[in-house]
Amino acid sequence: MKVQDIVRCAVDESKFMLTVDKMRESMNIPLEHDPVKEVEVLADKFQLTQSEQGDVLRQLFKGGDNSRYGLFNAVTAASQLSASYDRATALERIGGEILAMPVPRGLIPATNKPMRNITPLPLQLETA
């Protein structure tokens, strides 16, 4: 039953498109720090080993993409270098968490339209 649920979610078109949209969005989010510092922050947050940290940094430089998407790709590529299946799976999960991180406030596009109040007005009863 669990396998069926996982497969059903994996092939759900709307969920798939949400993931694709997150990936596209992440291409436009630059790393907050230089690549070395960014990987150090990531290593602290997710308890990466020195070896994993080096693998992620090498993959990030190899990919040449200093966006959140590039970091996501570097982490998932580094997972393929792991000797342990469990650790490789954990690195893949970390890659997913990178995609799920909120967009930095300064990168959210501002709209020029003022907000409209759509709250219904209370019904006015006339008193005679």
Side-chain angles (χ1 to χ4, degrees), residues 55-61 69-79:
D55 289 343
V56 170
L57 191 57
R58 275 188 292 285
Q59 294 299 324
L60 187 58
F61 283 135
Y69 184 73
L71 184 60
F72 157 76
N73 279 328
V75 171
T76 56
S79 76

Side-chain angles (χ1 to χ4, degrees), residues 11-76:
V11 296
D12 182 329
E13 184 178 357
S14 62
K15 290 183 182 185
F16 176 76
M17 291 312 295
L18 285 173
T19 301
V20 169
D21 289 343
K22 276 294 213 186
M23 287 181 175
R24 284 186 184 136
E25 181 181 74
S26 71
M27 291 175 167
N28 298 315
I29 301 174
L31 297 179
E32 294 181 38
H33 311 286
D34 67 86
V36 175
K37 176 68 175 167
E38 195 71 36
V39 173
E40 288 173 359
V41 169
L42 185 75
D44 288 343
K45 183 172 183 171
F46 294 105
Q47 292 84 40
L48 300 182
T49 66
Q50 285 292 101
S51 176
E52 291 168 342
Q53 189 174 345
D55 289 343
V56 170
L57 191 57
R58 275 188 292 285
Q59 294 299 324
L60 187 58
F61 283 135
K62 189 176 173 182
D65 182 356
N66 288 336
S67 69
R68 187 177 286 177
Y69 184 73
L71 184 60
F72 157 76
N73 279 328
V75 171
T76 56

Side-chain angles (χ1 to χ4, degrees), residues 56-107:
V56 170
L57 191 57
R58 275 188 292 285
Q59 294 299 324
L60 187 58
F61 283 135
K62 189 176 173 182
D65 182 356
N66 288 336
S67 69
R68 187 177 286 177
Y69 184 73
L71 184 60
F72 157 76
N73 279 328
V75 171
T76 56
S79 76
Q80 297 172 16
L81 303 172
S82 181
S84 160
Y85 174 79
D86 290 337
R87 192 60 189 157
T89 303
L91 287 169
E92 291 283 343
R93 180 190 47 77
I94 291 168
E97 288 187 35
I98 290 170
L99 282 182
M101 289 177 178
V103 176
R105 190 158 182 77
L107 295 177

Side-chain angles (χ1 to χ4, degrees), residues 103-115:
V103 176
R105 190 158 182 77
L107 295 177
I108 298 172
T111 61
N112 294 332
K113 296 179 183 177
M115 293 180 77

